[in-house]
Amino acid sequence: DAKLRLRSRDADGEAAVDLRSGAGPEEGWGSYARAVVRSLLAASVPLSGFVGVVASTIPLGGGLASSAALEVAVALAVSKKPLDPLRVARLCRDAENEHVGLHSGLLDQLACAASVEGHALLIDFKDDSYRAIAWPEDLDIVVIDSGVPRALDSSGYNERRNECARACEALGVSSLRDVDEAALAGAALGPVVVRRARHVITENKRVGAVAAALEAGDTAGLGAIFAASHASLATDYEVSTPELDALVDTAVRTPGVVAARMTGGGFGGCTVNLVTAGCGREAGTAITRAYREVSGLPARFWVSAPAGGAREVA
């Protein structure tokens, strides 16, 4: 019928969304399903109702795109016709921007929709192009949850984005991709906005450096790049926390760890650690044990591998 009805195995409540009007939950996880339906309706995508259950292995509030994963899954499931990865990602990004109130970019949704198994995904947001880069067989990915949950809609995420927008306006560009660090020196920007812009400008360079290192098989150089990235996130962008800093500091002193940094939008959540293949579980256990001694918080970890994007499964 013209209704979407969802329950979750991981959170309370039920989401019931009218596929003709877009009426549905205004709060909680169900609001994301409502937002997606409204975005699809605005784009005149034909919809089909169903009754379903949401189950996820992505930890909620961990900064690992659990909301984007839900959005992409709902969009693909409720649409009567196939949606290509870029289109579904844009529609779900619009859902967050216009109907949830979070001014996020396209990263999480496109990663959920377009990733290729066994590969990293390099995205260029100047034209929304993307390509897969083979992941080295000698590296495991260990994700560690700091135990400090994050919620972007109640954090400084929008504030950081607005500060970067002010930098663009003052510099006369549409994107910080179009300027370098030298341009900041002569701009009429306050010290806070300078730090925010500097993080984005230097982080763009680091992303390119990581992609080049992966393609060249130079995993030994990743540690320094990740360390510089985390330091910039902590000091220039100011989105790290003492707990995330402690996790990273513990990780880089743990045998087998090649690189470590916070991941996601910050203000809590997780770190991502690159670990010598076969050492992931041992390293994760050592890091979480030492972290608990320092912080008093229980941390969880997962040994992961690059997976493919959202798709229908039999």
Side-chain angles (χ1 to χ4, degrees):
D1 58 16
K3 290 280 188 182
L4 168 64
R5 296 182 181 88
L6 296 175
R7 287 187 179 274
S8 171
R9 290 180 57 184
D10 307 300
D12 294 334
E14 177 179 312
V17 185
D18 189 299
L19 300 185
R20 291 164 295 197
S21 66
E26 299 289 336
E27 297 180 348
W29 66 268
S31 66
Y32 288 91
R34 170 192 57 83
V36 168
V37 168
R38 290 188 177 183
S39 182
L40 294 172
L41 287 174
S44 299
V45 175
L47 305 181
S48 177
F50 66 93
V51 176
V53 176
V54 178
S56 179
T57 57
I58 302 177
L60 304 180
L64 299 175
S66 58
S67 59
L70 174 62
E71 292 161 6
V72 171
V74 168
L76 293 178
V78 82
S79 174
K80 282 186 177 181
K81 63 180 183 180
L83 298 171
D84 68 78
L86 182 55
R87 189 179 187 206
V88 73
R90 284 172 169 167
L91 287 167
C92 291
R93 183 268 316 276
D94 293 346
E96 282 207 2
N97 291 177
E98 298 172 18
H99 304 294
V100 176
L102 177 64
H103 301 300
S104 62
L106 198 62
L107 171 62
D108 289 359
Q109 290 84 358
L110 192 53
C112 289
S115 288
V116 177
E117 184 175 359
H119 292 71
L121 192 69
L122 177 64
I123 308 172
D124 187 335
F125 289 111
K126 287 209 75 172
D127 58 7
D128 291 344
S129 61
Y130 56 89
R131 62 185 176 91
I133 298 177
W135 188 256
E137 294 182 356
D138 60 347
L139 285 183
D140 285 341
I141 301 171
V142 179
V143 177
I144 304 180
D145 185 352
S146 68
V148 179
R150 67 189 271 273
L152 287 185
D153 54 359
S154 60
S155 73
Y157 184 95
N158 285 347
E159 181 183 358
R160 297 297 185 278
R161 185 180 176 100
N162 290 337
E163 288 164 343
C164 290
R166 292 205 299 273
C168 286
E169 183 179 0
L171 294 165
V173 296
S174 60
S175 169
L176 290 173
R177 279 281 301 283
D178 297 326
V179 295
D180 56 21
E181 289 178 84
L184 295 178
L189 299 170
V192 172
V193 174
V194 166
R195 292 200 303 271
R196 305 298 188 249
R198 183 170 60 208
H199 166 70
V200 175
I201 292 168
T202 57
E203 189 77 346
N204 280 335
K205 293 180 181 178
R206 286 186 285 268
V207 170
V210 168
L214 290 176
E215 291 183 307
D218 178 24
T219 57
L222 295 175
I225 303 172
F226 271 49
S229 175
H230 184 81
S232 182
L233 285 159
T235 58
D236 276 353
Y237 217 54
E238 295 185 278
V239 294
S240 187
T241 66
E243 294 82 7
L244 290 171
D245 293 343
L247 266 180
V248 171
D249 182 61
T250 301
V252 297
R253 293 184 283 107
T254 301
V257 175
V258 175
R261 69 187 282 275
M262 59 156 282
T263 189
F267 306 101
C270 295
T271 63
V272 60
N273 307 266
L274 307 187
V275 181
T276 302
C279 298
R281 187 157 297 281
E282 182 180 354
T285 299
I287 294 167
T288 52
R289 182 184 298 122
Y291 171 73
R292 184 161 192 168
E293 293 176 357
V294 172
S295 69
L297 294 172
R300 302 176 295 167
F301 75 90
W302 299 265
V303 181
S304 185
R311 65 201 181 280
E312 184 178 351
V313 296

